[in-house]
Every structure is written in structure tokens, then in C-alpha cells.
Amino acid sequence: MSDEYRTISGTGEGYYTEKRSKFLAFAHHIETADEVKDIVAHYRKEYYDARHVCYAYMLGADRQTFRANDDGEPSSTAGKPILGQINSNELTNVLIVVVRYYGGVNLGTSGLIVAYREAAADAIAHATIETRQVEEIVSHTFSYLEMNSVMRVVKELAPRIIEQQFDNTCRIVLAIRKNDAALLRQRLGQLVDDQA
């Protein structure tokens, strides 16, 4: 598995109109499924007079956690096309909500699919796409005498320092790119061996 994934930072907004129906799309960066409920509830409240609030999301670097919701539209005409745009852009940790205002003219299933797909695509086009690394957390406990050796390894491998505690017994918690985690553990483990 790659230790990189594509996501968006912040939010992106999109718009599509067809036969007087308006489709407002909002793309959000998310980290958990719990965030989805709050964001969707926000749009349901803000656009209380809209006919449908449909959405799809994808989570995890492995892109295995996802959901699509048609919110009363004919089956697979809203959530699936939104999810399709997330997939075709190879994104994850993304939620796209599309709010539909009915224009009085039925669009038919193919028209709905196109409308939701295009609205979602426009939201993605107006978002900032970035590549991020999958990180692993490495915790290491050491004696105060090993401080310089530990900090040398930290400087060489450049993990992100999450937490550090310096006392008689010291502890450091680091986040590093998943592919480099084994090397970091090995290098820190060797320091203990060198002291013995």
C-alpha cells in the first residue's frame, strides 16, 4: 500500500443548474464519519427549504470506508454520481454535499445523474487538492544521558515531534511517514543497544 493519499484542504463550492433546478455543491475535508453527520445537518438547517440534501464521502488512505446517500432522489441518481467524482479524482477524507432546489421540471434519472455529477465535479474543481502522507506514531522512552543520540536520529530522519518529556526518564512521541517508521524504530532501538 502506498503511504500517500490525495485529499482536499478546506472546502470547495460548486454549482450546476438544469431546467430551473439548482444544485449547490460543497466539498469538505473530513477525518471521521462523525463529522459527516454534523456537516450534513448544518446544510439541512441552512437550506431548510431545499427539496434534497444528498451526499457521499470517502475515508482512509486505503479508500475502503465510503457511503452515498440519495436523500429521497431515485435510487443511485445522486449519491453514486457524487461518489463517482470522488473516485475519479482519487480523493479520500472528503465529503461532498449537494443541495437541490427543484425547478418544477423533472430531469429523469439520466438528467439527475448528470446534474449531481457535474455539481460535485465543480465543487472539487474549486477545492485545493493536495497529497498527504500516511503517518505512523512512534513512542520512545530513554535515559537523559541518551538525549543527544536520540535528537541526532530525530534530526536525521526528520519525524514530526508530537510530544516530548525530559526528566530522569525521557519520552518522545513522533509521527513519521509510514514507510519510514520501521527505520526510525530500528535506529532508536540501536541507541539502547549501543549504551549497553
Side-chain angles (χ1 to χ4, degrees):
M1 182 182 109
S2 170
D3 68 346
E4 289 186 336
Y5 61 94
R6 286 166 44 95
T7 189
I8 65 170
S9 59
T11 59
E13 294 185 11
Y15 179 79
Y16 184 78
T17 182
E18 180 70 32
K19 296 180 180 168
R20 296 196 308 272
S21 276
K22 293 184 182 121
F23 298 83
L24 313 175
F26 306 92
H28 289 263
H29 175 80
I30 56 170
E31 293 290 333
T32 66
D34 290 338
E35 291 175 73
V36 172
K37 294 180 192 111
D38 294 339
I39 294 169
V40 171
H42 163 78
Y43 286 114
R44 286 191 201 286
K45 187 175 178 184
E46 185 174 342
Y47 298 99
Y48 63 90
D49 54 343
R51 177 73 65 91
H52 304 280
V53 178
C54 306
Y55 65 90
Y57 68 84
M58 175 82 63
L59 281 170
D62 57 0
R63 304 179 76 243
Q64 296 299 308
T65 304
F66 56 89
R67 178 147 189 243
N69 185 307
D70 295 318
D71 190 37
E73 291 282 30
S75 181
S76 300
T77 59
K80 252 188 170 167
I82 297 169
L83 186 62
Q85 285 305 303
I86 294 171
N87 277 325
S88 66
N89 285 278
E90 297 177 342
L91 298 173
T92 191
N93 291 9
V94 172
L95 163 68
I96 299 178
V97 179
V98 180
V99 176
R100 179 188 181 193
Y101 281 97
Y102 183 61
V105 179
N106 289 338
L107 302 181
T109 54
S110 62
L112 285 172
I113 290 168
V114 168
Y116 280 101
R117 183 182 67 218
E118 293 304 314
D122 196 40
I124 292 169
H126 288 94
T128 303
I129 295 176
E130 58 184 38
T131 300
R132 295 189 182 178
Q133 276 80 42
V134 178
E135 289 185 325
E136 199 167 305
I137 304 297
V138 175
S139 179
H140 183 65
T141 305
F142 55 97
S143 73
Y144 192 78
L145 296 172
E146 294 176 84
M147 172 81 70
N148 288 340
S149 302
V150 169
M151 295 320 267
R152 193 175 311 114
V153 171
V154 168
K155 187 175 181 186
E156 287 171 17
L157 297 180
R160 191 164 49 87
I161 299 173
I162 296 175
E163 186 184 317
Q164 49 191 3
Q165 176 184 336
F166 303 122
D167 207 351
N168 290 337
T169 300
C170 303
R171 182 170 176 266
I172 192 164
V173 180
L174 307 164
I176 191 163
R177 190 174 178 156
K178 192 176 180 92
N179 287 352
D180 297 333
L183 177 61
L184 177 60
R185 281 193 181 91
Q186 176 194 352
R187 293 281 304 278
L188 291 171
Q190 284 173 339
L191 296 178
V192 175
D193 296 340
D194 293 344
Q195 295 289 322

